[in-house]
Amino acid sequence: MEESWRDAIEAVAYELARRNGESPLDRGAALGRRVEALAFEHGLAHGFELLVRERGYRGEESGEESAARVAALVFGVRGERRTLVAA
């Protein structure tokens, strides 16, 4: 089942927070909105980069990797069907 962009952004932002010892009670909704605000002019990958810098997260994935995970949640992983058929 495909997720909306907002849900996917919130999920990735929430996971970043959890890996850094935070436990947002809103399941990442506020962090997702912050990423969207930061990404407004320069794109989603840059928004995630700025969030990581702003929150002081260390050793995190790049903004490109976070944006790719958002896209994977929204569109699914390419080649998924072929893998299932081959198995």
Side-chain angles (χ1 to χ4, degrees):
M1 183 171 157
E2 291 184 5
E3 292 184 52
S4 72
W5 280 99
R6 176 163 287 144
D7 292 340
I9 292 169
E10 288 175 5
V12 173
Y14 179 75
E15 188 176 324
L16 286 171
R18 294 292 295 155
R19 286 196 310 246
N20 284 277
E22 295 179 11
S23 185
L25 296 176
D26 63 358
R27 304 284 300 166
L31 290 173
R33 287 191 301 273
R34 184 65 183 143
V35 169
E36 289 181 38
L38 293 169
F40 182 72
E41 289 185 30
H42 301 288
L44 191 56
H46 189 67
F48 275 109
E49 291 281 348
L50 292 174
L51 178 75
V52 166
R53 198 172 314 143
E54 186 177 271
R55 306 290 292 190
Y57 299 159
R58 302 269 186 223
E60 272 307 328
E61 64 193 15
S62 71
E64 290 291 330
E65 291 169 316
S66 294
R69 289 195 308 118
V70 168
L73 286 171
V74 173
F75 298 114
V77 179
R78 292 185 184 193
E80 191 172 280
R81 176 172 284 175
R82 237 178 287 141
T83 303
L84 292 174
V85 172

